[in-house]
Amino acid sequence: MKNEIDMLEGHLGRNILRFALPLAVTGILQQLFNAADIVVVGRFVGNSAMAAVGSNSPLINLLVNLFVGISLGANVVMAQFAGSRHKARIQQAVHTSILIALIGGFGFMILGELAAEPVLKLMSVPDQVFPMALAYLRIYLLGLPVILLYNFESAIYRSQGNTSTPLICLSISGVINVILNLFFVCIIGMTASGVALATVIANLISSVMLLVLLRKGPEETRIHFSKLRLYKTVLKKILYIGLPSGIQSMMFSLANIIVQSALN
């Protein structure tokens, strides 16, 4: 509760700054997971592994930006309900959001696994690093459900004026990601697949941490597995805002993919 900011009272400029800074750092940290993978394989494996992981960076940035944008829909809808003090509607939005994350995450994972090889071929990834790049991408895609879940859980916290808790959980998982990168690469002897596995585990940890906290939090945002369902009106509101926002967020990443393909 002490991390929550009441956006309806107090100094508006100060509240916006307290809200926005942790949010910005969280977005940067999500992008740095892939950067940490590149650094570790570049330092301890070699140039080919670094090129394999780096060739996936535009795709991963696209997915992260898409998921952050989609989760914004849940953020806005829950914030509206919070502002009107409509606790029952907040509960509906919370459980709808969690279910959207799970269904969407597994859906994106299946589509991604089917499209992984053709997409990397369209990007003209060099033959000498293609198998390693494909292995990295396939393992990373297995973590899409927990990545999307983390973003929607973060949206629940943001709607209540709390951007610090998601940042703390992501920071902890970021440290774990680096430790696991070194463990899988330096001790186990894995290459690109090792850092991909570390990223999946780290994202799983951050999403589980937020899930545990939400299970014990205030009643209006508390998750009850028995209440998980898609409330039609709330679902339409979330998608109406979230889908355009997600598409908008991925546009620059899509441009980067085209540039990367041309460079390859």
Side-chain angles (χ1 to χ4, degrees), residues 99-158:
L99 206 51
I100 290 174
L102 293 174
I103 295 172
F106 281 104
F108 278 117
M109 182 189 74
I110 293 169
L111 290 174
E113 293 291 349
L114 293 173
E117 186 171 354
V119 167
L120 289 181
K121 286 182 178 178
L122 283 174
M123 290 178 63
S124 303
V125 174
D127 292 338
Q128 60 267 34
V129 301
F130 189 90
M132 203 180 299
L134 181 60
Y136 177 90
L137 182 58
R138 287 197 183 282
I139 295 173
Y140 182 89
L141 290 170
L142 294 175
L144 291 188
V146 292
I147 295 174
L148 192 56
L149 180 61
Y150 169 84
N151 281 291
F152 272 85
E153 290 168 337
S154 299
I156 296 172
Y157 277 100
R158 291 197 300 267

Side-chain angles (χ1 to χ4, degrees), residues 6-78:
D6 189 349
M7 302 298 286
L8 303 179
E9 297 179 10
H11 191 280
L12 186 59
R14 188 183 303 115
N15 285 343
I16 290 175
L17 196 61
R18 286 178 58 204
F19 182 88
L21 286 178
L23 184 61
V25 175
T26 299
I28 293 170
L29 278 178
Q30 283 190 289
Q31 303 284 0
L32 287 178
F33 272 58
N34 179 247
D37 295 348
I38 294 173
V39 170
V40 170
V41 294
R43 175 66 179 81
F44 297 104
V45 180
N47 292 337
S48 294
M50 184 172 68
V53 176
S55 63
N56 283 295
S57 293
L59 280 174
I60 289 170
N61 291 339
L62 182 145
L63 290 171
V64 170
N65 289 329
L66 174 63
F67 287 177
V68 170
I70 293 175
S71 68
L72 181 64
N75 188 172
V76 171
V77 171
M78 281 184 279

Side-chain angles (χ1 to χ4, degrees), residues 194-213:
V195 293
L197 182 59
T199 299
V200 171
I201 294 172
N203 282 311
L204 174 63
I205 291 171
S206 62
S207 63
V208 169
M209 288 172 66
L210 285 184
L211 183 62
V212 170
L213 292 173

Side-chain angles (χ1 to χ4, degrees), residues 2 20 33 46 50 63 82 84 125 130 141 155 159 179 209 220 225 229 231 235 240 256 263-264:
K2 66 181 181 181
F33 272 58
M50 184 172 68
L63 290 171
S84 60
V125 174
F130 189 90
L141 290 170
S159 71
I179 294 172
M209 288 172 66
E220 61 264 26
F225 293 133
R229 61 177 56 89
Y231 294 90
L235 175 64
Y240 181 78
N256 289 336
L263 289 172
N264 289 340

